[in-house]
Amino acid sequence: MTGSKLPVKAVALDLDGTLVDSAPDIAHALNHALREARLLGGMDSFDVAAVRGWVGDGPDALIARAIAFMRARGDVTAHADPAALRRGFDAATLAAPLGLGTVYAGMEAALRELAAWCPLVVVTNKPTALARAVIAAANLSPYLTAVYGADRREDRKPGPALLARAAHDLGRAPGELLMVGDSIADMGAARAAGAHAAWVSWGYGHGEPPTDAYFIDAPDQLAAVVRLAMQARPLVTGQ
């Protein structure tokens, strides 16, 4: 961190790959939608490792990547209906929001501590209704002031729209927010909004963390990073 931003007064957290390891549930929902549309046989499925690599830009992008992959290997015709697949995906997610996944170890304790210091919000590319369902299933709702999901394409990170909205609703300047996430999209959203950024090492992120972000190796370091960011001081761990 350069120290040019304001001291942090609120924290925005990504959801999938940051607060929860939800890839197994996302894979289940995707496979359910594809089977329901008769694009996968009853025993066929995408494994969690493959789906984890597609997570990050919301369910529409996830479905598009799956269909593109299947078309590339000759499995899918042009008759795949993205809207029907999305309905199947949403239904499966809402039926079991975190039936297979888990909250990352130490995350609930970190949020409990942070919530006593400043407002916490979730900023995610998952649609709001699905995000709230996952958060409720994870028992993390008591620690959060609000949930901001990407219900429109233009809301998606790395765009700044959701962070800007969160800052406005909290009565904070964007430069007083710390965006905590596991992806380049999270870091890009923070940069576009003028917010601080913290990269977590345990998620699904691709690429290298930017040099102007805090770096967090484990959830139990989160509180220490936020405390330093509240003083606009840098912290680099695991280097």
Side-chain angles (χ1 to χ4, degrees):
M1 276 298 161
T2 64
S4 60
K5 299 182 178 67
L6 299 166
V8 163
K9 293 184 179 178
V11 179
L13 302 125
D14 178 50
L15 180 57
D16 301 302
T18 299
L19 298 183
V20 296
D21 182 7
S22 53
D25 300 288
I26 294 171
H28 169 76
L30 175 64
N31 288 322
H32 170 86
L34 292 169
R35 290 194 194 99
E36 191 175 60
R38 301 182 184 277
L39 298 176
L40 281 179
M43 299 300 293
D44 295 331
S45 65
F46 286 111
D47 63 27
V48 174
V51 173
R52 187 178 285 115
W54 296 336
V55 171
D57 297 321
D60 293 324
L62 173 81
I63 290 166
R65 287 171 182 151
I67 294 301
F69 179 87
M70 296 173 78
R71 283 190 175 128
R73 67 183 190 185
D75 293 347
V76 177
T77 70
H79 299 296
D81 181 353
L85 290 169
R86 172 64 190 278
R87 289 193 294 270
F89 180 93
D90 287 5
T93 300
L94 293 172
L98 202 64
L100 301 171
T102 58
V103 180
Y104 286 109
M107 184 56 69
E108 183 175 4
L111 296 186
R112 185 184 303 114
E113 183 174 4
L114 291 177
W117 302 352
C118 66
L120 309 180
V121 299
V122 162
V123 172
T124 174
N125 280 346
K126 189 186 288 292
T128 304
L130 303 187
R132 285 177 174 158
V134 171
I135 290 164
N139 296 314
L140 299 180
S141 302
Y143 311 114
L144 301 172
T145 299
V147 177
Y148 297 88
D151 299 320
R152 306 172 301 166
R153 184 180 297 273
E154 56 265 34
D155 290 334
R156 291 181 193 166
K157 299 171 288 184
L162 294 180
L163 278 174
R165 191 183 311 162
H168 176 270
D169 292 349
L170 292 169
R172 305 287 194 263
E176 294 175 313
L177 265 60
L178 172 67
M179 177 72 227
V180 179
D182 68 319
S183 73
I184 294 298
D186 296 315
M187 304 298 100
R191 185 177 295 111
H196 300 258
W199 174 282
V200 304
S201 66
W202 57 82
Y204 311 148
H206 310 287
E208 295 295 323
T211 57
D212 62 344
Y214 296 95
F215 188 87
I216 309 174
D217 267 330
D220 63 8
Q221 296 177 358
L222 182 56
V225 169
V226 172
R227 188 179 291 279
L228 288 176
M230 292 174 103
Q231 303 168 26
R233 291 171 52 194
L235 175 70
V236 179
T237 63
Q239 301 295 308

